[in-house]
Amino acid sequence: IHPSSDEDGIEQDLLVSGSLRIIDKDGEIIVEYRPLEDTVDPSNMLCAGKDSSSVVEWAQCPGERSHQLLETQQSYETEWDMVNAVSFKRKPCPNGEGESRWAFTFSVSDLRSITVKEEGWTFLIFKLKESSTTLPTLHFHQGGSREFLDSLRRFVCVLCVCRTPDDETCLIVSTPNKALSQSFENLLDDNNFGLVHKFKKDPYVTTLGGFSKVTNYIFDAFRGTEEQHQRPPEEVADLLGEVIPGLEINQQEEPGFEVITRIDLGTRPQVTRREPLSADDWTKHQDPEGRMIQIPHLRQVIFKGGLCHAVRKEAWKFLLGYFPWDSTLEERKALQRNKTDEYFRMKLQWKSVSEEQERRNSRLRDYRSLIEKDVNRTDRTNRFYEGIDNPGLVLLHDILMTYCMYDFDLGYVQGMSDLLSPILYVMENEVDAFWCFVSFMDQMHQNFEEQMQGMKTQLIQLSTLLRLLDLAFWNYLESQDSGYLYFCFRWLLIRFKRELSFQDVLRLWEVMWTGLPCQNFHLLVCCAILDSEKQKIMEENYGFNEILKHINELSMKLDIEEILQKAEGISLQIKSCKDLPDSVSSILGFTSDVSGSEPSNPGSPWAPRATQRQDACSNGHGHLRETSSHNSCKVAFIS
C-alpha cells in the first residue's frame, strides 16, 4: 500500500509491503491484509494432505509432534473441503504493538465492487457496501493481482464488467446464496435420507450426483443472492450470459423474435416397442461380401427394439462408427489389423515410462492415480469386473491409460470409466473396446472438457424442451429454485449410466446410437422420466431438497422400455406441431426434415458432425427468445 504523505508522521513515498490472504473464518470468507511485520512464522505452517481432504500441521520446533491432523469441514464435495480449525504462531511486532496500523480485514459479503487500474503495475480499489468505510488501495508491484482475483472468484459472483473512460475495469460482485448452501448442509445432515448414506459410502457418486461442482456453479450463477430474485429481466439475462459464455440475449420485442407462452402440441401418439434384433435378422442385412444393406431400415429396427446380446459385439462397431457401414468383411479385417498396431504403439508409450520419468511428469502421474482409483470402484458388482485381480479391471485400466496418450489434452476425467465399462463388457477385446470408446468419446468430449460447455448447453436445451412440453410443471420447478434442472446433471454427463441397471444401459445406448428419431434424443429421455414423476412432485408439493432427493432415489428403479416408448411419443408429438418454434426445431434437428431427409444428428456416428449452437434462452418469465446479434445485451463472462 502507498500511505498518504498528508498523514502525521508519514514520510513521503513510503511503501508498505504486506501479504494478502483469503481466510474461511467460522464459515465467513475474510480478506486480510497484513504488513510484512505481521506475517506468519514459517516454523509453524499448514500443509495439504496427499488426499486433498485433510490438512496437517508441520512444526519444526523440537520436542513437539511433527504432524497433527486438524479437524476439517466435510462438505458434500471432498475435493472442496476447507479447514475450519486453523492456528498460526505469529511473530511479535517489532514495535511491541499487537496490530500494525496498516493491517485491515473485511468480509467478502460486504464487498460491493473492485476497480482494477493499470499504471505500470496493477492496483486494486475495494469498495464496500458501507460507503463510509474506505480501504487503502493495494498495489501489486511484483504481480499477483490476477491470481488474487481468480482465488476471490471462488467465493463471489462477478455480475458484470464495466469500463470507465479512464480505462479502468470495475467488477461488480455478489456473494453466494447462504440459504442455498445451508439447504445442502441440512440435506446431508438428515439421517432419514437414504441418499446421504449412499453418498457417504461412495464419494464418486457425490462427484457425479446432484451435488457436483458444475451443478452448484450453474445454480449459484443463475440464482445469485436473495436480492437477485427480484431483479429485472435484463439482469436475469446478464446472469444467464455468465453461465453460457457467448450467448447474446436480446431484450427487445422486435419483429423476427418469437415469444412462446403456451403451444398446443396436440395428443401424444401411442407407440409400441418390438423384440430385439436377432442374429439371423442381422445376417440378412449383409451382402455376400459382408457389406451392410438396407441401413435405414436396420437402424429403425434397432431403435424400436435394440439388439440381442449375441449381435452387440459386431453391431456396436457400426453404430459407434468404428466400422464403416459400407465396408466389406476383408476391409474390416484390414482395418482391425491397422488399428491393433496403432493401439499398441500408444500403449507402449506409457508402458515404457520409467518410475524416474514419471516422477517428473505430474500430469501423467495424476492421470494414473485417478484412473487406478476409479477403476477399483467401477461396476464391481458386475461379474465381468468383480473380485480381486480381475483381468477385466486390468483391461479397463490399460485402455484408459492409452486414451491419455490418444488425447493427452483431455487425458482422463472422472466419469469416463463409466462410459468405457459397458463397451469393454460387450467387446471382450482390448483393441476393439478402445476404438469404440474413442468413437463414443468423440460424441461425449464436451461433457468432460474443463469449461464443460456441452453440459451447460444441454441443461439449457433440456429446460427449453420441458418448458414447451409442460409449462405448468416447468413453472412449478422454477418456483422451487429447480427450473434449471441441475438434478439432471448426472443423467446427461454419463448418459444415465448410474440410473439404470447394467443391461438397461446397454439397451438405451444402442438405441440412442442409431441417431433416431431425432438428434439429442437423450434430452427427450430426460423429459420422459420427468413426465412420469411430475405428478408426485407437484401433488406432494416437493421443495428444493425433496426434488433433489426424489430424483436421485430413482436410480435403479426406472423401466427403460416404458421410458423409450414415452420418449419416442414425445418426439412424434413435437414433430407434428405445425407452429413449432425454430429454437426447438434446431435442438431436435427437425429443420433439415423439410426436404424429406432424416434429421442430422451430431451425436450419431452416421451423420456428418456439426457444431451446434444453442439459439434459445429464457428471459426468466417462462418465455423463449431467439438470439440476435442486433441490439443485444452482451455480457462479459469471467470464469
Side-chain angles (χ1 to χ4, degrees), residues 166-446:
D166 298 328
D167 199 28
E168 301 170 358
T169 300
C170 182
L171 310 179
I172 310 299
V173 302
S174 173
T175 51
N177 189 333
K178 292 185 177 179
L180 175 64
S181 300
Q182 187 61 42
S183 70
F184 275 114
E185 294 172 9
N186 292 341
L187 176 62
L188 286 169
D189 290 337
D190 190 345
N191 293 326
N192 294 325
F193 286 6
L195 166 67
V196 178
H197 179 67
K198 183 168 63 175
F199 275 21
K200 288 180 178 178
K201 289 177 64 179
D202 188 355
Y204 183 42
V205 179
T206 305
T207 305
L208 295 180
F211 305 122
S212 65
K213 294 179 183 177
V214 174
T215 302
N216 287 290
Y217 163 71
I218 290 176
F219 184 83
D220 287 339
F222 277 172
R223 306 306 301 175
T225 60
E226 291 296 334
E227 292 87 354
Q228 287 173 248
H229 288 283
Q230 306 301 323
R231 292 187 184 276
E234 60 271 15
E235 293 199 22
V236 175
D238 288 350
L239 295 178
L240 186 61
E242 287 183 31
V243 179
I244 309 297
L247 280 187
E248 296 178 341
I249 305 168
N250 195 296
Q251 297 298 317
Q252 306 298 323
E253 300 283 349
E254 297 180 4
F257 285 77
E258 48 185 352
V259 180
I260 303 161
T261 52
R262 188 184 299 273
I263 293 179
D264 183 11
L265 296 175
T267 304
R268 183 174 301 166
Q270 293 294 320
V271 298
T272 57
R273 302 281 298 162
R274 54 155 286 167
E275 292 297 314
L277 181 74
S278 67
D280 289 340
D281 289 336
W282 174 262
T283 304
K284 291 176 183 178
H285 283 81
Q286 290 182 333
D287 69 10
E289 293 184 332
R291 292 187 185 88
M292 304 306 299
I293 57 176
Q294 299 178 317
I295 297 170
H297 175 262
L298 179 60
R299 283 207 318 267
Q300 181 66 30
V301 172
I302 296 173
F303 170 75
K304 295 294 289 185
L307 298 159
C308 70
H309 191 71
V311 177
R312 283 181 173 139
K313 185 180 295 188
E314 184 176 2
W316 277 26
K317 297 169 187 174
F318 289 95
L319 290 172
L320 283 166
Y322 175 34
F323 283 172
W325 288 97
D326 59 352
S327 60
T328 65
L329 180 60
E330 290 303 317
E331 288 171 343
R332 292 196 291 271
K333 288 180 179 179
L335 175 67
Q336 282 183 301
R337 287 193 294 269
N338 293 334
K339 290 296 186 181
T340 299
D341 292 342
E342 186 177 352
Y343 172 78
F344 283 107
R345 280 198 301 271
M346 290 186 290
K347 183 174 181 178
L348 184 61
Q349 290 173 358
W350 65 266
K351 279 281 193 180
S352 60
V353 174
S354 66
E355 292 184 8
E356 185 177 352
Q357 285 178 297
E358 191 167 316
R359 281 197 296 269
R360 296 189 294 270
N361 190 334
S362 60
R363 199 170 182 185
L364 180 62
R365 192 168 62 245
D366 291 344
Y367 286 157
R368 186 192 297 272
S369 175
L370 191 55
I371 288 171
E372 289 174 352
K373 187 185 299 183
D374 284 357
V375 163
N376 285 328
R377 56 191 179 191
T378 299
D379 292 325
R380 295 308 301 276
T381 57
N382 187 299
R383 291 187 61 184
F384 192 79
Y385 299 107
E386 69 181 0
I388 303 174
D389 298 328
N390 187 303
L393 297 179
V394 177
L395 293 179
L396 203 63
H397 170 275
D398 288 0
I399 292 172
L400 292 171
M401 284 296 298
T402 306
Y403 187 81
C404 292
M405 299 294 105
Y406 174 83
D407 187 349
F408 210 82
D409 286 339
L410 180 63
Y412 177 79
V413 183
Q414 274 190 319
M416 288 166 57
S417 62
D418 273 299
L419 299 184
L420 172 60
S421 171
I423 295 175
L424 179 59
Y425 169 84
V426 168
M427 295 299 152
E428 298 180 313
N429 176 280
E430 182 177 1
V431 175
D432 290 342
F434 173 81
W435 290 111
C436 287
F437 176 66
V438 165
S439 297
F440 194 18
M441 281 302 301
D442 286 345
Q443 303 175 35
M444 305 291 290
H445 200 279
Q446 280 194 317

Side-chain angles (χ1 to χ4, degrees), residues 7-25:
E7 299 182 30
D8 294 337
I10 302 299
E11 60 182 276
Q12 193 172 4
D13 298 330
L14 173 65
L15 303 181
V16 179
S17 298
S19 62
L20 195 60
R21 295 194 299 162
I22 303 175
I23 306 171
D24 179 10
K25 184 176 182 181

Side-chain angles (χ1 to χ4, degrees), residues 74-81 206-207 211-214 216:
Q74 294 296 330
S75 67
Y76 49 82
E77 291 173 353
T78 55
E79 298 174 10
W80 285 10
D81 285 344
T206 305
T207 305
F211 305 122
S212 65
K213 294 179 183 177
V214 174
N216 287 290

Side-chain angles (χ1 to χ4, degrees), residues 248-252 254 627-635:
E248 296 178 341
I249 305 168
N250 195 296
Q251 297 298 317
Q252 306 298 323
E254 297 180 4
T627 59
S628 171
S629 58
H630 174 66
N631 195 24
S632 60
C633 171
K634 295 184 179 179
V635 180

